[in-house]
Amino acid sequence: MKVAVLGAGAIGAYVGAALHRAGVEVSLIARGPHLEAIRTSGVRVLSPRGDFTAHPHATDDPREVGPVDHVFLGLKANGYASAGPMIEPLLHEATSIIAAQNGIPWWYFHGLKGPYEGYRIESVDPGGAVTAALPLDRAIGCVVYAATEIKEPGVIRHLEGTRFSIGEPTGTPTGRCAEFSDAAVAGGLKCPVEPDLRRDIWIKLMGNIAFNPISALSRATMAGICRHHGARELVRAMMRETVEVARNVGCDPGISIERRLRGAEKAGEHRTSTLQDLEKGKPMELDVLLAAVVELADLTGAEVPTLRAIHAVSDLLNENLVRTG
């Protein structure tokens, strides 16, 4: 089995190192000092589960890799639309694209029976640009329950969690999901194949949709947000509205808001990925988190005043970031 990791940052390099440890032929596609460090010394993973070093092939040119069986996307979702030229050299007729993203994916209504089957979410897939780059029939969803960071080029600090839930948009079990899952498990990860990955998507999104933009607006950690009474109530309101939208499109997350809050609180003084992007001057990944849910609220008639307000101010912050960056 051949796997290419496109966007071998903190999560991508961690997954690639685990797969390589399992004997998979892995190629990491990265750039800059991180790429040079991997070429020289491999990927060093520092983890409470045990440190290890892997030496997968690493390059900045997908043409050097050629067609593979699975492409694992470690890119931010706001980079998907422009990923076509990097993806194309990696594809053969049956290559899957496993997208490890936060928020609502571009394939969400693909193969989903019901009144919205085939609906394209404009805020996630503007003009169909993401679908053009990442064909729907190649998509395998992936919800990440792991926290990692790049400690220094070539060195990944694994903080917690090893679960990467995957699943077909149709919910049908397939050999390609089973193949990737088996390899990931052999490399030390948890990789269940879920018959209803959309439920996982909404459970994780309940936290991301609230904590990520609030952290960027306030510069607070997850624990700091939870400690502040007003902010905690804001999170509750955003979660309630998110659950209503999920139910309107046919998915009940099946988890209480209080339980989801407690789970987020356990993350402690964690700075969300959105806050980290802001601090680095990078565009924030808000469309798939907030804009998509507001769009689905409009589609289904849900009332989401809190989500609209937070989306407006965080989007303004993002526009200013892009303009001055």
Side-chain angles (χ1 to χ4, degrees):
M1 184 174 85
K2 293 183 178 181
V3 175
V5 177
L6 179 56
I11 286 291
Y14 175 60
V15 170
L19 291 171
H20 186 269
R21 184 166 62 164
V24 176
E25 186 177 338
V26 176
S27 294
L28 303 184
I29 300 169
R31 59 187 180 183
H34 189 53
L35 170 61
E36 294 308 313
I38 294 171
R39 280 174 164 166
T40 302
S41 305
V43 178
R44 187 179 175 207
V45 176
L46 308 178
S47 171
R49 298 169 59 87
D51 301 348
F52 69 96
T53 301
H55 295 271
H57 176 243
T59 180
D60 59 359
D61 185 358
R63 294 171 298 179
E64 186 182 312
V65 177
V68 297
D69 301 305
H70 304 279
V71 176
F72 184 89
L73 276 187
L75 302 171
K76 293 283 189 180
N78 50 18
Y80 285 3
S82 60
M86 297 289 283
I87 288 275
E88 189 174 357
L90 303 171
L91 303 179
H92 59 57
E93 66 280 358
T95 303
S96 77
I97 298 174
I98 301 170
Q101 69 161 96
N102 287 324
I104 303 294
W106 82 102
W107 54 260
Y108 188 88
F109 290 107
H110 175 60
L112 180 63
K113 300 300 181 185
Y116 307 115
E117 182 176 5
Y119 177 81
R120 179 174 57 79
I121 306 171
E122 179 66 23
S123 53
V124 170
D125 188 9
V130 175
T131 295
L134 312 175
L136 291 169
D137 62 342
R138 295 186 182 274
I140 292 176
C142 178
V143 179
V144 178
Y145 295 93
T148 58
E149 63 183 16
I150 298 178
K151 182 176 181 291
E152 59 187 71
V155 180
I156 306 300
R157 186 184 298 281
H158 170 229
L159 302 171
E160 62 177 357
T162 61
R163 181 177 162 197
F164 293 78
S165 297
I166 63 172
E168 295 282 354
T170 61
T172 304
T174 60
R176 64 184 189 174
C177 277
E179 178 183 60
F180 185 85
S181 173
D182 289 346
V185 170
L189 305 178
K190 295 178 181 177
C191 190
V193 180
E194 299 289 352
D196 184 10
L197 191 69
R198 290 175 180 85
R199 181 174 176 271
D200 284 57
I201 287 170
W202 284 105
I203 289 172
K204 187 171 184 190
L205 182 55
M206 284 173 67
N208 287 149
I209 201 170
F211 285 98
N212 287 49
I214 292 173
S215 70
L217 292 166
S218 66
R219 309 303 199 272
T221 64
M222 291 180 69
I225 293 168
C226 289
R227 284 193 298 266
H228 186 277
H229 175 74
R232 193 180 184 100
E233 288 304 307
L234 183 59
V235 168
R236 283 195 180 98
M238 294 178 75
M239 286 187 177
R240 280 195 298 270
E241 293 176 5
T242 301
V243 170
E244 181 183 354
V245 175
R247 289 171 176 164
N248 281 7
V249 296
C251 183
D252 189 339
I255 184 172
S256 73
I257 288 171
E258 289 308 311
R259 182 179 172 189
R260 190 65 186 86
L261 255 173
R262 288 195 299 271
E265 196 167 15
K266 288 178 182 177
E269 305 303 331
H270 174 66
R271 291 154 51 254
T272 70
S273 59
T274 304
L275 175 55
Q276 292 180 49
D277 285 342
L278 176 67
E279 292 173 340
K280 295 173 184 175
K282 295 181 178 180
M284 297 182 292
E285 191 181 36
L286 293 175
D287 288 342
V288 295
L289 297 181
L290 264 171
V293 179
V294 171
E295 181 178 339
L296 294 182
D298 290 337
L299 179 69
T300 64
E303 295 293 329
V304 291
T306 316
L307 294 181
R308 290 186 193 281
I310 296 298
H311 175 242
V313 291
S314 58
D315 189 53
L316 177 60
L317 175 62
N318 207 29
E319 282 188 8
N320 289 335
L321 183 69
V322 171
R323 188 180 301 116
T324 58

